[in-house]
Amino acid sequence: MKTVYDGKEHCCGCTACENSCPTGAISMSPDWEGFLYPVIDPFRCIDCGVCRNVCPFEHADRVKYGPFQKSFLAQHREENVLMQSTSGGAFTALSDCILTQGGVIYGADFDGEWHVVHRRAQTDAQRDRMRISKYAQSDLRGVFQQVEQDLSVGRMVLFTGTPCQCAGLRSFMEGKDTSRLYLCDIICYGIPSPMIWQSFCRMIEQERGGQVSQVQFRSKAYDWSRENSNKVFLMATTEDPVLRLDDRYYQLFFKVRSVIRPSCGSCPFTDRSRPGDLTIADYWGVEKYLPQYNDPRGMSLILVNSSKGEQLLEWAQDAMFYLLRPASECMAEQARLREPVQLPANRREFWEYFDAHGLAAALEKFAGHQA
Ligand SMILES: Cc1cc2nc3c(=O)[nH]c(=O)nc-3n(C[C@H](O)[C@H](O)[C@H](O)COP(=O)(O)OP(=O)(O)OC[C@H]3O[C@@H](n4cnc5c(N)ncnc54)[C@H](O)[C@@H]3O)c2cc1C
């Protein structure tokens, strides 16, 4: 069988190959873990090699800037933005600069059934839905071609996403006019399976009744801090509308780690050379380096990786305060600027057990939670 990739650890599911195939022979299809992979229709494939050539995972150096140039501590100036953002609200400040110039924003949103999907925003309200980290891989199908369409009619575009998604878009756009395209990647710990996220929602619905009605990953109901980041996953259902703390999804993500995509374990975007013009993240360690700026409403880290990134940051200066900091701080605090996440040796055992017994039983066996 023809494949675009040699082993799942080499495919991040970015859709660059699907969007580049000249005969439309590639479609993205979920595997048994719920991650999307390209599948080739052998009757339409003409063996041109475009799909392998466009793969950002195989050609990572082609879609990264050199090591980041500057790093900043940053924070949005508005209280309400801070309280509705994961970190220091950098995403809102940066995306506002593009929206006010008539541009469009691409970022991760929830659809009506809590699937994480990449969407296009032209208004503040649409953009606001992209706020808050959503800990499941977003569905990018159809998005790169929309971005290309926007650029072709002269719109400014800010695309935000994981480093591999930004790299995929950069690779897809290679050789085309990208002067109005701005890329902003997040520092990414690793990306969990959409299927596990959906199973988690069904489990909560069974336990609490009704349908999931509210989700707050990384809620600011608790002070922003590295310690608190493990106890800020809140959910409510239609039957039980109180937002309740539940750390089991966090446990799956950070402790069990088997739910993370295989390619994250060999991610080539876990160093200081970034695919985005800017990189945004949490300013972990602020309490050590600059205790006077340790704000429980959240602080952002911003890395400037290109002159375009520098320009975007400059435009954002009215909305956001920022302070130049030594690179050594973020290099010490952010493991994903140094190395990929380590996936557990018993990863397959987890999936076989989940497949046979369901999520509640897998949680009990692998995370020590009573079903
Ligand atoms: C899976 C994941 C892992 C992360 N790992 C780290 C880490 O190791 N260290 C760290 O400091 N920060 C990490 N972050 C980033 C951090 O949590 C914040 O998203 C970032 O600091 C932006 O915060 P903000 O206040 O500027 O923006 P917010 O207003 O919170 O905006 C969120 C931004 O993240 C994007 N986004 C949200 N969910 C997804 C998704 N599933 N896929 C792609 N893009 C998404 C949105 O498009 C938007 O641009 C991670 C985020 C995610 C989604």
Side-chain angles (χ1 to χ4, degrees):
M1 202 176 76
K2 292 180 179 181
T3 57
V4 180
Y5 54 90
D6 301 318
K8 289 189 168 168
E9 66 281 11
H10 295 286
C11 174
C12 59
C14 72
T15 75
C17 55
E18 181 198 28
N19 284 291
S20 303
C21 176
T23 62
I26 298 177
S27 55
M28 301 298 291
S29 179
D31 73 345
W32 74 305
E33 298 178 352
F35 290 110
L36 293 173
Y37 289 91
V39 176
I40 300 179
D41 175 349
F43 298 107
R44 294 168 82 176
C45 174
I46 53 168
D47 273 325
C48 63
V50 165
C51 52
R52 281 191 174 248
N53 192 44
V54 80
C55 176
F57 221 77
E58 292 305 312
H59 306 284
D61 288 343
R62 231 166 54 192
V63 285
K64 293 200 276 191
Y65 292 109
F68 66 82
Q69 298 159 8
K70 291 177 190 165
S71 80
F72 293 91
L73 171 83
Q75 190 184 49
H76 202 284
R77 296 185 197 275
E78 285 178 30
E79 165 99 12
N80 70 321
V81 173
L82 283 178
M83 297 312 283
Q84 291 165 32
S85 304
T86 309
S87 313
F91 165 66
T92 298
L94 299 168
S95 51
D96 268 341
C97 302
I98 301 293
L99 284 175
T100 53
Q101 295 184 67
V104 293
I105 312 299
Y106 287 84
D109 190 0
F110 284 120
D111 73 6
E113 291 168 339
W114 300 106
H115 297 106
V116 183
V117 290
H118 249 69
R119 286 232 166 104
R120 175 177 185 272
Q122 297 191 83
T123 65
D124 288 358
Q126 291 166 340
R127 184 279 317 278
D128 290 353
R129 295 179 52 93
M130 296 167 180
R131 287 177 178 154
I132 301 296
S133 299
K134 300 164 187 78
Y135 292 106
Q137 187 163 32
S138 69
D139 190 336
L140 268 183
R141 281 177 287 188
V143 167
F144 289 0
Q145 289 185 355
Q146 268 183 297
V147 171
E148 187 182 19
Q149 168 66 18
D150 278 326
L151 292 169
S152 74
V153 296
R155 301 289 293 270
M156 273 176 119
V157 172
L158 172 65
F159 178 92
T160 61
T162 60
C164 59
Q165 292 176 328
C166 291
L169 177 56
R170 241 179 104 164
S171 192
F172 168 70
M173 289 302 298
E174 214 168 52
K176 300 166 191 158
D177 181 5
T178 53
S179 54
R180 296 169 79 78
L181 174 63
Y182 294 79
L183 291 167
C184 176
D185 66 68
I186 52 178
I187 294 182
C188 178
Y189 178 84
I191 198 82
S193 154
M195 182 197 281
I196 292 289
W197 166 237
Q198 285 294 312
S199 300
F200 192 79
C201 290
R202 301 298 84 78
M203 190 181 82
I204 294 286
E205 287 168 351
Q206 262 189 351
E207 289 172 359
R208 296 175 57 179
Q211 277 92 48
V212 170
S213 56
Q214 265 197 83
V215 173
Q216 285 188 10
F217 288 123
R218 303 278 311 271
S219 169
K220 293 259 171 95
Y222 296 79
D223 286 356
W224 172 89
S225 73
R226 186 173 237 163
E227 285 128 50
N228 275 358
S229 68
N230 66 354
K231 46 178 160 148
V232 281
F233 287 63
L234 275 63
M235 291 176 80
T237 68
T238 46
E239 289 289 304
D240 181 6
V242 180
L243 273 166
R244 290 183 201 285
L245 203 59
D246 191 325
D247 81 334
R248 291 175 295 176
Y249 194 72
Y250 170 86
Q251 294 288 338
L252 280 168
F253 183 20
F254 287 95
K255 188 174 161 198
V256 178
R257 280 181 282 120
S258 298
V259 303
I260 293 174
R261 190 173 176 112
S263 59
C264 298
S266 50
C267 178
F269 307 108
T270 50
D271 60 10
R272 50 170 82 203
S273 298
R274 314 296 302 170
D277 297 290
L278 292 172
T279 298
I280 56 175
D282 292 283
Y283 209 103
W284 297 140
V286 62
E287 69 286 355
K288 277 186 274 178
Y289 307 113
L290 281 167
Q292 67 275 33
Y293 288 102
N294 185 18
D295 187 331
R297 299 171 305 168
M299 295 304 278
S300 286
L301 165 70
I302 302 184
L303 306 180
V304 174
N305 311 314
S306 72
S307 51
K308 253 195 215 172
E310 182 127 41
Q311 180 181 60
L312 184 52
L313 187 61
E314 243 175 69
W315 286 334
Q317 65 185 335
D318 288 342
M320 187 167 58
F321 135 88
Y322 47 88
L323 188 66
L324 187 65
R325 299 301 303 160
S328 55
E329 293 179 359
C330 62
M331 291 310 295
E333 303 299 325
Q334 295 282 354
R336 293 295 88 78
L337 290 178
R338 302 189 304 268
E339 60 192 0
V341 63
Q342 223 184 341
L343 300 180
N346 66 349
R347 189 178 181 285
R348 190 167 177 91
E349 197 194 325
F350 170 89
W351 280 97
E352 285 171 352
Y353 197 84
F354 164 73
D355 204 35
H357 305 284
L359 188 60
L363 264 164
E364 188 179 338
K365 183 170 164 69
F366 292 90
H369 273 282
Q370 295 301 310

